[in-house]
Amino acid sequence: MKFHLDTAEIYVPDLMSEEQALTRTTHLCFAAHQDDIEIMAAQPILECFQQQDKWFTGVVVTDGRGSPRDSLYKDYTDEEMRLVRFKEQRKAAMIGEFAAQIMLDIPSKVIKGSSRSEPVNDMLAILRASQPKFVYTHNLADKHDTHVAVALRVIEALRELDEAERPKQVIGCEVWRALDWMVDSDKVMMDLSAHENLQFALLGIFDPQIAGGKRYDLASMGRRRANATYFGSHSVDETTALNYGMDMTRLMNDLDLNPAEFVGHFVQRFAMDVQDRVNRNW
Ligand SMILES: [Zn+2]
């Protein structure tokens, strides 16, 4: 496959051809940075793990050059950091038995702000080559600009697909802002009760961030546990770990639907839920 940057790469852990690796994909995730996939899309990774008919492909959109660095990595140049972050993402793809891991290597500033066609065209080429059933990306209520920008570029690419080419579902996932605030009936439930060991392994690979003091591994596992425990106050826990998703499929299918209005609808339902509860107990 050709992407608009020559430095983009496709890594196939089991050494299948690129074409075969992408064709078998059923679950496809577009993430802004290295480690976002393992934080937000652990459920589809585990659903595909060791399956013959389900395959997960990850796409990291940005280049990792601007990553914060400390400890062992504090004197690394931007280019050295980029290489470290590419290497750790390949390790995650190997442990998670991904169909393929694509790194588009695009600078954040090209993704953010108003749309540029090159990232959208790369995403569209990946969607057409892999024809996934399920697409995962950042949710539109995330508080990191690059995450929201990636999600918007993914929506643009999805809208270019013909009806027959579209995935069944598009899910926005949790990284920089959990989705616990959404009303329960709006939540996509992603059960992560199984393979806690693999979840720790996938999160633990990303050493530069963790060594720099950001314990994304412990925080992500804690969020999953908290989501499961705090889901319902009256019932016994049916799961021991959960991630939540925002169903964004309508944004693909309704070309006139404005993304800001779409996410605002979820926020309004949250506000009404809070106000109703206070009012009925006042
Ligand atoms: Zn990120």
Side-chain angles (χ1 to χ4, degrees):
M1 265 193 97
K2 282 291 285 178
F3 298 110
H4 85 277
L5 290 176
D6 290 338
T7 50
E9 72 163 52
I10 304 185
Y11 170 64
V12 180
D14 65 0
L15 305 177
M16 280 251 195
S17 73
E18 283 179 8
E19 193 191 344
Q20 284 176 306
L22 289 179
T23 308
R24 63 186 168 175
T25 301
T26 51
H27 297 61
L28 176 67
C29 178
F30 291 98
H33 307 106
Q34 290 82 2
D35 80 7
D36 286 336
I37 291 174
E38 292 69 23
I39 292 170
M40 73 183 187
Q43 188 274 322
I45 294 173
L46 294 177
E47 186 180 336
C48 296
F49 190 77
Q50 281 286 307
Q51 303 300 310
Q52 293 305 311
D53 58 344
K54 291 180 182 178
W55 287 90
F56 180 89
T57 288
V59 181
V60 173
V61 174
T62 68
D63 56 17
R65 281 185 178 83
S67 302
R69 60 210 70 175
D70 201 354
S71 180
L72 178 64
Y73 310 94
K74 69 179 189 310
D75 296 324
Y76 279 37
T77 64
D78 279 359
E79 182 55 23
E80 286 169 333
M81 269 324 280
R82 172 181 169 273
L83 295 176
V84 165
R85 304 226 62 195
F86 270 47
K87 187 161 70 178
E88 63 189 4
Q89 189 60 57
R90 288 187 213 107
K91 289 185 210 167
M94 170 67 83
I95 287 176
E97 299 184 358
F98 295 5
Q101 172 63 54
I102 299 173
M103 253 91 66
L104 291 178
D105 202 30
I106 300 171
S108 287
K109 63 178 186 296
V110 174
I111 292 291
K112 284 192 283 193
S114 59
S115 178
R116 298 245 307 244
S117 61
E118 304 97 319
V120 177
N121 289 339
D122 283 351
M123 290 171 177
L124 183 58
I126 294 165
L127 285 164
R128 290 214 157 109
S130 56
Q131 301 197 9
K133 286 199 184 79
F134 300 95
V135 167
Y136 302 84
T137 188
H138 300 280
N139 80 77
L140 289 180
D142 194 286
K143 63 178 177 181
H144 193 308
D145 268 30
T146 312
H147 289 191
V148 172
V150 164
L152 292 171
R153 302 296 89 82
V154 171
I155 291 161
E156 284 181 74
L158 287 164
R159 285 180 170 187
E160 294 287 321
L161 294 173
D162 296 329
E163 218 166 303
E165 298 175 307
R166 291 179 193 160
K168 266 175 31 186
Q169 198 175 21
V170 181
I171 299 172
C173 306
E174 301 173 296
V175 184
W176 281 101
R177 187 171 278 147
L179 291 175
D180 172 68
W181 59 270
M182 290 175 75
V183 299
D184 288 347
S185 56
D186 284 341
K187 288 174 176 132
V188 176
M189 311 288 270
M190 301 159 86
D191 186 355
L192 283 162
S193 303
H195 298 296
E196 194 177 47
N197 55 321
L198 278 175
Q199 297 179 49
F200 269 117
L202 287 163
L203 290 163
I205 286 164
F206 296 90
D207 190 56
Q209 308 283 301
I210 292 170
K214 297 291 275 182
R215 293 303 304 264
Y216 292 118
D217 51 344
L218 300 180
S220 299
M221 295 304 284
R223 173 186 285 167
R224 291 168 197 177
R225 176 69 68 153
N227 281 348
T229 299
Y230 290 108
F231 179 69
S233 56
H234 297 300
S235 55
V236 176
D237 293 356
E238 288 173 14
T239 60
T240 53
L242 272 179
N243 265 150
Y244 296 133
M246 176 185 286
D247 192 334
M248 308 203 301
T249 316
R250 275 181 59 219
L251 279 171
M252 167 180 68
N253 292 329
D254 182 351
L255 305 192
D256 297 324
L257 185 56
N258 176 284
E261 280 176 29
F262 170 81
V263 69
H265 170 78
F266 291 109
V267 178
Q268 285 157 17
R269 283 166 64 86
F270 169 56
M272 278 167 53
D273 184 64
V274 172
Q275 287 164 354
D276 286 352
R277 186 165 294 100
V278 172
N279 282 333
R280 70 173 173 262
N281 290 290
W282 177 238

